[in-house]
Amino acid sequence: MPRYAEWRSRSAYDYIDTLTPAELAWEFLRRNETYREEYFRLSAAGQLDTEAGRAFAARWGLCFPRRPEPPGTRAAGDLVTCR
């Protein structure tokens, strides 16, 4: 785990200035413990493309433009906000 001073370092977050809105949203969402738990539960059960998966996406304001892939293989750019 990083030391307290390191996570407060401005240089550690310089990349945020270059992110698209979707990538910035992903930076926040992927750190949300409730989102992560629900995503991994649905993913492990193969339910991301079911009604439960659609309800999950609607609850978090997401659209998945491609079929689900194993956790950790999806790029931030693959997530878009629903409109």
Side-chain angles (χ1 to χ4, degrees):
M1 177 173 241
R3 292 180 309 185
Y4 179 78
E6 290 173 354
W7 76 262
R8 303 261 329 218
S9 168
R10 286 178 163 259
S11 64
Y13 292 94
D14 283 344
Y15 74 98
I16 289 194
D17 293 335
T18 66
L19 298 178
T20 67
E23 291 167 335
L24 183 59
W26 175 241
E27 286 296 316
F28 286 94
L29 185 60
R30 72 185 183 92
R31 290 171 172 85
N32 184 296
E33 188 174 327
T34 304
Y35 167 84
R36 291 169 50 109
E37 288 172 358
E38 188 172 353
Y39 174 83
F40 286 119
R41 181 178 53 79
L42 288 170
S43 179
Q47 295 182 335
L48 286 176
D49 59 352
T50 66
E51 185 59 37
R54 287 186 285 281
F56 164 77
R59 185 169 33 265
W60 291 99
L62 299 173
C63 293
F64 297 95
R66 297 189 341 217
R67 291 194 47 78
E69 296 173 8
T73 62
R74 183 182 305 277
D78 293 344
L79 300 176
V80 296
T81 56
C82 296
R83 293 186 185 175

XYZ file of all heavy atoms in Angstrom:
683
model
N 0.838 -1.168 0.000
C 0.000 0.000 0.000
C 0.891 1.242 0.000
O 1.864 1.300 0.719
C -0.909 -0.027 1.226
C -1.781 1.195 1.347
S -2.954 1.000 2.685
C -4.434 1.120 1.738
N 0.549 2.241 -0.827
C 1.397 3.429 -0.878
C 1.375 4.197 0.436
O 0.397 4.167 1.170
C 0.782 4.263 -2.001
C -0.446 3.585 -2.416
C -0.559 2.284 -1.725
N 2.471 4.843 0.688
C 2.518 5.680 1.874
C 1.592 6.869 1.688
O 1.305 7.287 0.574
C 3.939 6.155 2.128
C 4.861 5.020 2.523
C 6.242 5.508 2.754
N 6.655 6.301 1.588
C 7.847 6.808 1.425
N 8.755 6.632 2.332
N 8.156 7.501 0.349
N 1.135 7.436 2.778
C 0.196 8.546 2.759
C 0.667 9.674 1.854
O -0.086 10.178 1.023
C -0.009 9.055 4.187
C -0.954 10.214 4.294
C -2.320 10.023 4.239
C -0.465 11.504 4.442
C -3.179 11.097 4.339
C -1.321 12.577 4.541
C -2.686 12.373 4.491
O -3.540 13.435 4.583
N 1.916 10.083 1.967
C 2.434 11.200 1.180
C 2.391 10.903 -0.320
O 2.180 11.797 -1.129
C 3.845 11.538 1.621
N 2.576 9.640 -0.728
C 2.607 9.302 -2.142
C 1.243 9.455 -2.801
O 1.147 9.942 -3.913
C 3.128 7.885 -2.330
C 4.599 7.759 -2.005
C 5.075 6.337 -2.035
O 4.246 5.419 -2.204
O 6.277 6.127 -1.870
N 0.174 9.033 -2.144
C -1.132 9.149 -2.779
C -1.597 10.592 -2.816
O -2.464 10.952 -3.594
C -2.168 8.232 -2.140
C -2.722 8.657 -0.821
C -2.312 8.228 0.401
C -3.794 9.561 -0.574
N -3.052 8.813 1.391
C -3.973 9.642 0.812
C -4.621 10.322 -1.397
C -4.942 10.449 1.396
C -5.584 11.122 -0.812
C -5.735 11.177 0.574
N -1.001 11.447 -2.018
C -1.350 12.863 -2.045
C -0.509 13.639 -3.054
O -0.721 14.820 -3.265
C -1.156 13.473 -0.654
C -1.943 12.782 0.439
C -3.198 13.421 0.829
N -3.237 14.844 0.720
C -3.831 15.629 1.572
N -4.378 15.129 2.634
N -3.877 16.915 1.376
N 0.438 12.992 -3.678
C 1.327 13.640 -4.632
C 0.560 14.089 -5.874
O -0.147 13.296 -6.497
C 2.434 12.665 -5.042
O 3.133 13.162 -6.142
N 0.707 15.347 -6.259
C 0.050 15.858 -7.466
C 0.508 15.096 -8.706
O -0.285 14.821 -9.600
C 0.338 17.342 -7.651
C -0.405 18.224 -6.712
C 0.005 19.684 -6.959
N -0.971 20.556 -6.369
C -1.919 21.175 -7.054
N -1.992 21.029 -8.349
N -2.781 21.936 -6.434
N 1.786 14.770 -8.771
C 2.309 14.102 -9.965
C 1.693 12.720 -10.169
O 1.603 12.242 -11.298
C 3.828 14.009 -9.921
O 4.239 13.202 -8.837
N 1.246 12.086 -9.101
C 0.619 10.770 -9.217
C -0.706 10.841 -9.974
O -1.190 9.832 -10.471
C 0.403 10.159 -7.836
N -1.285 12.028 -10.062
C -2.587 12.194 -10.709
C -2.533 13.103 -11.928
O -3.568 13.528 -12.429
C -3.602 12.711 -9.689
C -3.897 11.669 -8.643
C -3.194 11.649 -7.450
C -4.837 10.682 -8.875
C -3.431 10.674 -6.500
C -5.081 9.703 -7.934
C -4.377 9.703 -6.747
O -4.611 8.734 -5.823
N -1.355 13.385 -12.454
C -1.230 14.228 -13.645
C -1.995 13.654 -14.837
O -2.512 14.389 -15.664
C 0.242 14.419 -14.026
C 0.938 15.428 -13.137
O 0.242 16.196 -12.426
O 2.180 15.450 -13.143
N -2.083 12.332 -14.933
C -2.761 11.700 -16.061
C -4.231 12.066 -16.140
O -4.839 12.008 -17.213
C -2.600 10.179 -15.998
C -3.447 9.530 -14.927
C -4.668 8.954 -15.253
C -3.030 9.503 -13.598
C -5.449 8.360 -14.278
C -3.800 8.906 -12.625
C -5.006 8.346 -12.962
O -5.784 7.768 -12.006
N -4.833 12.478 -15.042
C -6.263 12.803 -15.027
C -6.576 13.956 -15.976
O -7.645 13.996 -16.568
C -6.727 13.092 -13.586
C -6.719 11.776 -12.836
C -8.063 13.792 -13.542
C -7.405 11.707 -11.540
N -5.633 14.870 -16.155
C -5.853 16.002 -17.058
C -6.025 15.572 -18.509
O -6.549 16.327 -19.320
C -4.690 16.990 -16.959
C -4.628 17.679 -15.614
O -5.685 17.789 -14.940
O -3.527 18.105 -15.217
N -5.595 14.373 -18.848
C -5.674 13.908 -20.238
C -6.856 12.966 -20.485
O -7.048 12.527 -21.619
C -4.378 13.178 -20.628
O -4.262 11.977 -19.846
C -3.158 14.063 -20.416
N -7.644 12.668 -19.475
C -8.731 11.699 -19.621
C -9.947 12.297 -20.316
O -10.256 13.471 -20.147
C -9.150 11.176 -18.246
C -8.094 10.426 -17.452
C -8.645 10.003 -16.096
C -7.582 9.224 -18.217
N -10.645 11.453 -21.060
C -11.933 11.844 -21.627
C -12.964 11.809 -20.503
O -12.711 11.213 -19.445
C -12.362 10.866 -22.730
O -12.623 9.584 -22.126
C -11.311 10.736 -23.827
N -14.147 12.395 -20.702
C -15.177 12.308 -19.660
C -15.501 10.867 -19.255
O -15.654 10.570 -18.072
C -16.385 13.004 -20.293
C -15.765 14.023 -21.200
C -14.552 13.309 -21.776
N -15.592 9.946 -20.217
C -15.888 8.548 -19.896
C -14.767 7.922 -19.078
O -15.020 7.171 -18.138
C -16.121 7.738 -21.171
N -13.523 8.223 -19.420
C -12.389 7.681 -18.677
C -12.335 8.249 -17.259
O -12.028 7.529 -16.311
C -11.082 7.980 -19.412
C -10.946 7.208 -20.704
C -9.816 7.716 -21.581
O -9.426 8.894 -21.469
O -9.335 6.916 -22.406
N -12.653 9.518 -17.109
C -12.671 10.131 -15.784
C -13.771 9.506 -14.921
O -13.553 9.178 -13.759
C -12.862 11.643 -15.892
C -12.820 12.410 -14.578
C -11.494 12.207 -13.862
C -13.079 13.890 -14.838
N -14.948 9.323 -15.520
C -16.041 8.672 -14.789
C -15.636 7.276 -14.352
O -15.932 6.842 -13.233
C -17.295 8.619 -15.659
N -14.936 6.542 -15.230
C -14.488 5.191 -14.900
C -13.518 5.204 -13.726
O -13.548 4.325 -12.876
C -13.869 4.538 -16.121
C -13.270 3.203 -15.844
C -11.974 2.836 -15.998
C -13.935 2.042 -15.337
N -11.790 1.530 -15.628
C -12.991 1.014 -15.223
C -15.248 1.779 -14.983
C -13.309 -0.251 -14.755
C -15.572 0.517 -14.521
C -14.608 -0.481 -14.409
N -12.644 6.220 -13.651
C -11.702 6.314 -12.532
C -12.443 6.368 -11.195
O -12.009 5.779 -10.210
C -10.797 7.541 -12.684
C -9.741 7.396 -13.743
C -8.743 6.292 -13.427
O -8.286 6.189 -12.278
O -8.426 5.529 -14.349
N -13.556 7.066 -11.155
C -14.342 7.137 -9.924
C -15.150 5.866 -9.709
O -15.184 5.317 -8.608
C -15.276 8.353 -9.954
C -14.550 9.639 -9.757
C -14.126 10.388 -10.832
C -14.272 10.103 -8.475
C -13.440 11.576 -10.649
C -13.586 11.285 -8.272
C -13.169 12.024 -9.373
N -15.801 5.398 -10.766
C -16.677 4.241 -10.634
C -15.922 2.990 -10.221
O -16.362 2.244 -9.350
C -17.413 3.997 -11.954
C -18.452 2.886 -11.938
C -19.544 3.186 -10.917
C -19.043 2.711 -13.315
N -14.769 2.750 -10.806
C -14.035 1.514 -10.507
C -13.542 1.454 -9.071
O -13.180 0.404 -8.575
C -12.886 1.314 -11.482
C -11.721 2.251 -11.294
C -10.691 2.051 -12.404
N -9.531 2.884 -12.222
C -8.429 2.493 -11.567
N -8.357 1.295 -11.053
N -7.404 3.307 -11.446
N -13.544 2.571 -8.378
C -13.126 2.601 -6.974
C -14.314 2.473 -6.015
O -14.131 2.401 -4.811
C -12.381 3.909 -6.692
C -11.022 3.968 -7.360
C -10.422 5.362 -7.228
N -9.055 5.416 -7.674
C -8.671 5.583 -8.925
N -9.575 5.693 -9.871
N -7.400 5.636 -9.237
N -15.530 2.462 -6.557
C -16.721 2.380 -5.732
C -16.932 0.925 -5.301
O -17.176 0.043 -6.126
C -17.930 2.891 -6.510
C -19.173 2.908 -5.680
O -19.659 1.867 -5.245
N -19.713 4.086 -5.474
N -16.840 0.682 -4.003
C -16.901 -0.690 -3.500
C -18.229 -1.372 -3.810
O -18.262 -2.550 -4.179
C -16.651 -0.699 -1.992
C -16.511 -2.093 -1.426
C -16.117 -2.087 0.039
O -15.384 -1.175 0.456
O -16.552 -3.006 0.735
N -19.329 -0.654 -3.709
C -20.644 -1.239 -3.993
C -20.743 -1.647 -5.455
O -21.214 -2.739 -5.778
C -21.761 -0.250 -3.631
O -21.619 0.137 -2.264
C -23.131 -0.858 -3.850
N -20.289 -0.779 -6.357
C -20.288 -1.090 -7.785
C -19.444 -2.340 -8.058
O -19.880 -3.255 -8.750
C -19.744 0.091 -8.599
C -19.429 -0.279 -10.024
C -20.419 -0.292 -10.990
C -18.138 -0.655 -10.388
C -20.130 -0.662 -12.287
C -17.842 -1.029 -11.687
C -18.850 -1.034 -12.642
O -18.554 -1.413 -13.916
N -18.240 -2.359 -7.492
C -17.330 -3.478 -7.735
C -17.927 -4.796 -7.257
O -17.877 -5.803 -7.962
C -15.988 -3.224 -7.062
C -15.203 -2.095 -7.709
C -14.015 -1.713 -6.859
N -13.237 -2.881 -6.486
C -12.032 -3.163 -6.974
N -11.463 -2.353 -7.829
N -11.395 -4.233 -6.584
N -18.490 -4.807 -6.069
C -19.079 -6.038 -5.532
C -20.212 -6.533 -6.419
O -20.300 -7.720 -6.727
C -19.584 -5.800 -4.112
C -18.477 -5.643 -3.092
C -18.982 -5.205 -1.731
O -20.207 -4.986 -1.571
O -18.149 -5.067 -0.819
N -21.090 -5.612 -6.821
C -22.227 -6.014 -7.645
C -21.767 -6.479 -9.029
O -22.259 -7.479 -9.548
C -23.210 -4.851 -7.783
C -24.489 -5.265 -8.466
C -25.544 -4.174 -8.436
O -25.340 -3.136 -7.771
O -26.571 -4.366 -9.106
N -20.809 -5.764 -9.610
C -20.294 -6.158 -10.930
C -19.681 -7.557 -10.880
O -19.988 -8.414 -11.712
C -19.256 -5.150 -11.439
C -18.605 -5.616 -12.712
C -19.216 -5.406 -13.939
C -17.397 -6.320 -12.682
C -18.634 -5.864 -15.108
C -16.813 -6.774 -13.857
C -17.434 -6.553 -15.061
O -16.869 -7.018 -16.211
N -18.820 -7.800 -9.907
C -18.158 -9.106 -9.831
C -19.158 -10.227 -9.530
O -19.025 -11.329 -10.053
C -17.016 -9.091 -8.822
C -15.817 -8.344 -9.326
C -15.343 -7.229 -8.660
C -15.161 -8.741 -10.484
C -14.247 -6.530 -9.136
C -14.055 -8.052 -10.972
C -13.604 -6.943 -10.294
N -20.166 -9.943 -8.734
C -21.195 -10.949 -8.451
C -21.949 -11.305 -9.736
O -22.123 -12.483 -10.068
C -22.163 -10.434 -7.386
C -23.255 -11.427 -7.017
C -24.172 -10.889 -5.924
N -24.733 -9.587 -6.216
C -25.770 -9.371 -7.029
N -26.344 -10.370 -7.650
N -26.228 -8.153 -7.220
N -22.400 -10.286 -10.483
C -23.123 -10.539 -11.727
C -22.219 -11.187 -12.776
O -22.639 -12.086 -13.500
C -23.705 -9.236 -12.279
C -24.894 -8.663 -11.523
C -25.211 -7.267 -12.023
C -26.099 -9.571 -11.659
N -20.986 -10.716 -12.861
C -20.043 -11.256 -13.835
C -19.746 -12.722 -13.554
O -19.749 -13.552 -14.464
C -18.764 -10.434 -13.815
O -17.832 -10.942 -14.720
N -19.492 -13.047 -12.304
C -19.180 -14.437 -11.931
C -20.344 -15.367 -12.224
O -20.147 -16.538 -12.558
C -18.796 -14.507 -10.455
N -21.567 -14.834 -12.122
C -22.750 -15.646 -12.380
C -23.147 -15.629 -13.856
O -24.124 -16.260 -14.244
C -23.920 -15.139 -11.525
N -22.380 -14.890 -14.687
C -22.691 -14.813 -16.115
C -23.986 -14.079 -16.389
O -24.689 -14.395 -17.341
N -24.304 -13.088 -15.577
C -25.595 -12.406 -15.683
C -25.510 -10.980 -16.211
O -26.489 -10.248 -16.158
C -26.283 -12.379 -14.324
C -26.648 -13.747 -13.821
C -27.378 -13.673 -12.494
O -27.227 -12.721 -11.740
N -28.162 -14.677 -12.210
N -24.375 -10.562 -16.736
C -24.273 -9.182 -17.214
C -25.144 -8.917 -18.435
O -25.522 -7.781 -18.683
C -22.820 -8.816 -17.515
C -21.954 -8.591 -16.285
C -20.513 -8.337 -16.707
C -22.477 -7.433 -15.449
N -25.478 -9.944 -19.204
C -26.319 -9.725 -20.380
C -27.767 -10.179 -20.142
O -28.514 -10.398 -21.075
C -25.720 -10.391 -21.615
C -25.542 -11.888 -21.461
O -25.736 -12.409 -20.347
O -25.207 -12.546 -22.459
N -28.166 -10.271 -18.881
C -29.534 -10.631 -18.522
C -30.280 -9.388 -18.047
O -29.732 -8.294 -18.009
C -29.543 -11.674 -17.390
O -29.017 -11.051 -16.210
C -28.721 -12.905 -17.745
N -31.504 -9.573 -17.647
C -32.283 -8.457 -17.091
C -31.595 -7.880 -15.854
O -31.579 -6.665 -15.649
C -33.707 -8.912 -16.746
C -34.599 -7.785 -16.271
C -34.753 -6.666 -17.301
O -34.817 -6.955 -18.506
O -34.798 -5.487 -16.878
N -30.996 -8.730 -15.042
C -30.268 -8.247 -13.865
C -29.098 -7.369 -14.284
O -28.818 -6.342 -13.654
C -29.767 -9.426 -13.023
N -28.419 -7.740 -15.363
C -27.314 -6.936 -15.878
C -27.793 -5.605 -16.415
O -27.146 -4.572 -16.221
N -28.943 -5.614 -17.101
C -29.500 -4.355 -17.612
C -29.921 -3.444 -16.466
O -29.710 -2.229 -16.516
C -30.657 -4.636 -18.562
C -30.181 -5.181 -19.907
C -31.318 -5.328 -20.900
N -32.157 -6.487 -20.605
C -31.845 -7.744 -20.917
N -30.712 -8.000 -21.533
N -32.645 -8.736 -20.609
N -30.480 -4.013 -15.417
C -30.860 -3.213 -14.244
C -29.620 -2.637 -13.569
O -29.618 -1.471 -13.136
C -31.655 -4.075 -13.262
N -28.561 -3.426 -13.497
C -27.293 -2.970 -12.933
C -26.757 -1.780 -13.727
O -26.376 -0.750 -13.168
C -26.302 -4.138 -12.953
C -24.870 -3.754 -12.755
C -24.387 -3.434 -11.501
C -23.994 -3.721 -13.826
C -23.055 -3.091 -11.310
C -22.660 -3.387 -13.647
C -22.193 -3.067 -12.385
N -26.729 -1.910 -15.053
C -26.231 -0.831 -15.907
C -27.084 0.425 -15.748
O -26.555 1.539 -15.659
C -26.209 -1.283 -17.360
N -28.390 0.271 -15.688
C -29.272 1.428 -15.527
C -29.049 2.101 -14.169
O -29.030 3.331 -14.079
C -30.729 0.992 -15.671
N -28.866 1.309 -13.139
C -28.649 1.844 -11.793
C -27.383 2.701 -11.732
O -27.333 3.722 -11.065
C -28.578 0.694 -10.784
C -28.478 1.105 -9.363
C -28.676 -0.029 -8.353
N -28.239 -1.358 -8.699
C -29.005 -2.316 -9.227
N -30.266 -2.093 -9.509
N -28.514 -3.514 -9.483
N -26.354 2.288 -12.467
C -25.090 3.026 -12.454
C -24.957 3.990 -13.619
O -23.949 4.672 -13.761
C -23.913 2.031 -12.437
C -23.848 1.307 -11.139
C -24.328 0.057 -10.881
C -23.319 1.792 -9.908
N -24.115 -0.271 -9.569
C -23.500 0.777 -8.943
C -22.717 2.976 -9.514
C -23.092 0.916 -7.621
C -22.305 3.115 -8.200
C -22.493 2.090 -7.274
N -25.987 4.077 -14.475
C -25.971 5.012 -15.593
C -25.016 4.618 -16.704
O -24.413 5.471 -17.335
N -24.884 3.318 -16.957
C -23.926 2.820 -17.946
C -24.611 2.128 -19.106
O -25.700 1.572 -18.961
C -22.979 1.796 -17.301
C -22.132 2.288 -16.157
C -21.389 1.118 -15.542
C -21.171 3.349 -16.625
N -23.935 2.146 -20.235
C -24.286 1.320 -21.387
C -23.041 0.538 -21.751
O -21.937 1.068 -21.700
C -24.691 2.183 -22.582
S -26.212 3.089 -22.344
N -23.218 -0.708 -22.074
C -22.100 -1.547 -22.485
C -22.245 -1.793 -23.984
O -23.082 -2.574 -24.394
C -22.110 -2.867 -21.709
C -21.936 -2.677 -20.229
C -23.029 -2.613 -19.389
C -20.670 -2.536 -19.681
C -22.864 -2.424 -18.035
C -20.502 -2.347 -18.323
C -21.602 -2.296 -17.490
N -21.437 -1.110 -24.819
C -21.599 -1.229 -26.270
C -21.135 -2.563 -26.850
O -21.345 -2.806 -28.014
C -20.746 -0.079 -26.808
C -19.749 0.211 -25.746
C -20.400 -0.165 -24.442
N -20.524 -3.417 -26.037
C -20.077 -4.729 -26.498
C -20.555 -5.783 -25.521
O -20.966 -5.485 -24.413
C -18.547 -4.769 -26.570
C -17.982 -3.807 -27.556
C -16.502 -3.995 -27.774
N -15.824 -4.725 -26.729
C -14.610 -4.467 -26.306
N -13.939 -3.471 -26.814
N -14.044 -5.178 -25.366
N -20.452 -7.029 -25.937
C -20.809 -8.128 -25.042
C -19.842 -8.155 -23.866
O -18.705 -7.722 -23.966
C -20.752 -9.457 -25.794
C -21.863 -9.574 -26.821
C -22.047 -10.973 -27.346
N -22.091 -12.017 -26.356
C -23.152 -12.319 -25.584
N -24.239 -11.613 -25.666
N -23.098 -13.329 -24.744
N -20.268 -8.674 -22.722
C -19.413 -8.743 -21.535
C -18.157 -9.573 -21.780
O -18.169 -10.527 -22.553
C -20.297 -9.420 -20.491
C -21.676 -9.332 -21.006
C -21.593 -9.210 -22.486
N -17.082 -9.182 -21.128
C -15.810 -9.899 -21.181
C -15.385 -10.193 -19.753
O -15.915 -9.606 -18.810
C -14.763 -9.039 -21.881
C -15.111 -8.758 -23.335
C -14.162 -7.770 -23.977
O -13.155 -7.418 -23.353
O -14.446 -7.348 -25.095
N -14.427 -11.078 -19.563
C -13.964 -11.383 -18.208
C -13.474 -10.134 -17.483
O -12.961 -9.210 -18.121
C -12.807 -12.362 -18.432
C -13.057 -12.941 -19.779
C -13.740 -11.870 -20.578
N -13.636 -10.075 -16.167
C -13.171 -8.920 -15.399
C -11.704 -8.618 -15.673
O -10.889 -9.521 -15.826
C -13.372 -9.349 -13.944
C -14.424 -10.393 -14.003
C -14.236 -11.096 -15.325
N -11.393 -7.332 -15.762
C -10.023 -6.909 -15.958
C -9.597 -6.809 -17.413
O -8.493 -6.373 -17.706
N -10.459 -7.200 -18.362
C -10.081 -7.126 -19.771
C -10.770 -5.968 -20.485
O -10.446 -5.688 -21.624
C -10.424 -8.431 -20.502
O -11.838 -8.639 -20.444
C -9.687 -9.608 -19.910
N -11.688 -5.298 -19.841
C -12.438 -4.219 -20.460
C -11.705 -2.896 -20.269
O -11.315 -2.554 -19.173
C -13.840 -4.118 -19.841
C -14.711 -3.063 -20.489
C -16.058 -2.989 -19.810
N -16.737 -4.257 -19.773
C -17.467 -4.762 -20.757
N -17.621 -4.104 -21.871
N -18.058 -5.925 -20.624
N -11.541 -2.136 -21.339
C -10.893 -0.822 -21.251
C -11.917 0.214 -20.827
O -13.117 0.068 -21.062
C -10.323 -0.451 -22.623
N -11.468 1.278 -20.200
C -12.363 2.340 -19.733
C -13.174 2.924 -20.884
O -14.318 3.304 -20.701
C -11.559 3.439 -19.047
N -12.610 3.000 -22.057
C -13.316 3.559 -23.208
C -14.492 2.721 -23.653
O -15.301 3.163 -24.461
N -14.626 1.505 -23.157
C -15.737 0.643 -23.521
C -17.000 0.960 -22.740
O -18.049 0.396 -23.006
C -15.382 -0.834 -23.287
C -14.302 -1.304 -24.239
O -14.049 -0.620 -25.240
O -13.725 -2.362 -23.980
N -16.903 1.830 -21.766
C -18.067 2.206 -20.980
C -18.519 3.592 -21.409
O -17.706 4.504 -21.529
C -17.713 2.236 -19.476
C -17.215 0.924 -18.898
C -16.813 1.135 -17.449
C -18.278 -0.144 -19.002
N -19.797 3.756 -21.627
C -20.333 5.060 -21.998
C -21.561 5.331 -21.161
O -22.216 4.417 -20.680
C -20.701 5.125 -23.505
C -19.467 4.974 -24.364
C -21.725 4.060 -23.862
N -21.872 6.596 -20.966
C -23.065 6.929 -20.199
C -24.292 6.749 -21.087
O -24.240 6.960 -22.292
C -23.019 8.373 -19.676
O -22.843 9.233 -20.798
C -21.892 8.551 -18.695
N -25.383 6.342 -20.480
C -26.642 6.173 -21.205
C -27.291 7.551 -21.378
O -27.219 8.386 -20.494
C -27.585 5.259 -20.436
S -26.963 3.586 -20.258
N -27.901 7.731 -22.505
C -28.601 9.006 -22.745
C -29.977 8.720 -23.277
O -30.226 7.819 -23.942
C -27.841 9.869 -23.736
C -26.540 10.304 -23.131
C -25.846 11.262 -23.998
N -24.539 11.514 -23.361
C -23.619 12.237 -23.888
N -23.809 12.805 -25.033
N -22.490 12.421 -23.274
